Amino acid sequence: MKNLLWFLFGIAGGFVLAHLMDKDPRGHEILADVDARITEFTDRMGDAYREQEARFAGLVDDVRDAAADAVGSARAVASDVVEKVADAADDAADKLTD
């Protein structure tokens, strides 16, 4: 609990110090520079995130297409096998009835 109190005291002190610095023209300039750097950093991080998200979306789409193709091929092979087995069964039945 004591650590939490010191933490909150530090945050409040930081806000008071920033407010006092903002009143001074030099301090205002420093805070504006810090704000510009933070904004630039967050913009770069956001751009990088969106770029990675687009790359992953493309990979997911490629995997989805490959899986759909594999399922389609497996379905076609299974259909051919079933057809050949049915033909073989019909031929065997015809030989037995002859």
Side-chain angles (χ1 to χ4, degrees), residues 76-88:
V77 168
S79 176
D80 289 345
V81 168
V82 167
E83 185 178 316
K84 288 180 181 180
V85 168
D87 289 345

Side-chain angles (χ1 to χ4, degrees), residues 25-89:
R26 294 176 295 168
H28 181 76
E29 190 176 311
I30 291 170
L31 289 177
D33 184 47
V34 169
D35 184 48
R37 289 178 185 219
I38 290 172
T39 301
E40 179 185 356
F41 175 75
T42 56
D43 288 345
R44 285 185 181 184
M45 291 300 292
D47 292 343
Y49 175 81
R50 284 184 285 282
E51 181 181 325
Q52 285 293 85
E53 187 178 36
R55 185 183 300 167
F56 286 139
L59 287 173
V60 168
D61 290 342
D62 292 346
V63 168
R64 185 180 302 136
D65 292 343
D69 291 345
V71 167
S73 297
R75 187 174 287 153
V77 168
S79 176
D80 289 345
V81 168
V82 167
E83 185 178 316
K84 288 180 181 180
V85 168
D87 289 345

